[in-house]
Amino acid sequence: MKRISIILAFSFILSIGISQTEKYWSGGSETIFGFATIDDDGNSSGSVMRFAPVLNLQGMYNIDLGKNFGFFTGLGLRNVGYIYDNYKTYNDPNDPEDITYVKKKFRTYNLGVPVGLKLGKLDKLFIYGGYEVEYAFNYKEKTFEGGQKTKFVEWFTDRAEPFQHGFLVGIQLPYGSNIKFKYYLSSFHNQDYLDKNTGQKPYENLNTNIFYFSLNYNLFKNANSYKSKTGNKDFH
């Protein structure tokens, strides 16, 4: 009898959870303020903030198990990179002392899939956290030296680690505003990459982990929540 009571109670709680489950898509853009921790063969200075307002798009699939707890996954297109003021180039491969320091800007376009959870008042204020795996499919590198700028772009290159991953945490504010922090556990560059034209490994011993703060809007906002019964917009 006791076992039957427990089963019935569990079934009742489960049925309530299922009946309160809400599934929907949300999404928006992301404005990124990027930084990096750099270990360049012992040198850790030279990182500069990178402002990346485009092209960052996110679509989230939300599974809310009531008003205070939920899960999310989705798909994102993200502009990830960093600026390095003290990148060293070897002018003569046979002379390790013949070095020039230049400014570099690196970036990749990534496709990402996040998974995470939300906790709080899901229609107003809540915190969230999760993990995201990204695939880098487009690479750009800019060099600034002596007032001159050069750049090149490569698709599906080996210069950067193809799969990048990290954790994210954030807070969803009322009326749709959102602040997020993300840290990449993976190194940005492929340190074993060999440039066949020069015979050098340009990113050897260059271990870089990117992290950023970003501003988002309507990242988790259900589009249907804007519509009242009369069809007018509802922003509360």
Side-chain angles (χ1 to χ4, degrees):
M1 185 66 181
K2 184 178 179 180
R3 181 178 297 178
I4 295 176
S5 299
I6 293 174
I7 294 174
L8 291 175
F10 178 76
S11 300
F12 177 72
I13 294 173
L14 183 62
S15 65
I16 292 177
I18 294 175
S19 65
Q20 293 180 342
T21 298
E22 185 179 6
K23 301 177 182 179
Y24 56 92
W25 280 94
S26 61
S29 60
E30 181 177 21
T31 300
I32 293 177
F33 301 86
F35 303 86
T37 59
I38 299 173
D39 181 3
D40 186 6
D41 199 18
N43 178 37
S44 59
S45 62
S47 175
V48 179
M49 188 192 81
R50 178 176 180 268
F51 178 61
V54 293
L55 178 67
N56 307 296
L57 301 174
Q58 304 170 98
M60 294 295 185
Y61 184 67
N62 301 264
I63 305 174
D64 293 349
L65 305 179
K67 297 181 179 180
N68 302 110
F69 182 76
F71 298 94
F72 66 88
T73 183
L75 184 65
L77 173 63
R78 187 165 292 112
N79 179 345
V80 178
Y82 71 103
I83 302 174
Y84 186 21
D85 264 348
N86 294 328
Y87 180 87
K88 57 185 176 184
T89 59
Y90 294 92
N91 301 314
D92 184 352
N94 299 318
D95 184 0
E97 301 298 325
D98 190 5
I99 299 174
T100 300
Y101 289 91
V102 298
K103 179 179 179 180
K104 289 271 193 177
K105 290 185 179 182
F106 306 101
R107 75 104 177 100
T108 56
Y109 274 127
N110 298 356
L111 283 176
V113 178
V115 289
L117 55 85
K118 306 179 289 183
L119 182 63
K121 295 183 178 181
L122 300 187
D123 60 340
K124 292 183 180 180
L125 176 68
F126 63 86
I127 59 174
Y128 63 93
Y131 175 81
E132 186 165 15
V133 177
E134 299 180 358
Y135 176 70
F137 63 90
N138 181 274
Y139 176 89
K140 178 187 283 188
E141 182 174 321
K142 292 182 181 180
T143 304
F144 301 83
E145 182 180 7
Q148 301 295 319
K149 179 179 72 172
T150 58
K151 65 179 180 179
F152 63 87
V153 177
E154 293 184 4
W155 292 86
F156 308 105
T157 183
D158 292 330
R159 292 177 179 268
E161 291 292 344
F163 289 98
Q164 301 171 18
H165 63 100
F167 67 84
L168 58 97
V169 294
I171 181 169
Q172 177 71 48
L173 302 172
Y175 306 108
S177 299
N178 184 292
I179 301 173
K180 183 172 75 175
F181 171 79
K182 184 171 183 182
Y183 182 84
Y184 286 83
L185 300 170
S186 53
S187 181
F188 181 83
H189 285 289
N190 174 12
Q191 298 180 49
D192 294 326
Y193 171 79
L194 178 65
D195 189 330
K196 296 180 181 180
N197 294 323
T198 64
Q200 297 180 351
K201 294 182 177 181
Y203 317 114
E204 188 175 23
N205 298 321
L206 177 57
N207 185 28
T208 303
N209 295 93
I210 294 174
F211 64 95
Y212 69 75
F213 298 89
S214 68
L215 301 178
N216 310 266
Y217 193 73
N218 287 348
L219 182 58
F220 295 107
K221 191 71 172 179
N222 185 354
N224 293 330
S225 67
Y226 286 97
K227 300 178 182 178
S228 66
K229 294 180 179 180
T230 60
N232 296 323
K233 289 187 177 180
D234 181 8
F235 291 95
H236 61 268

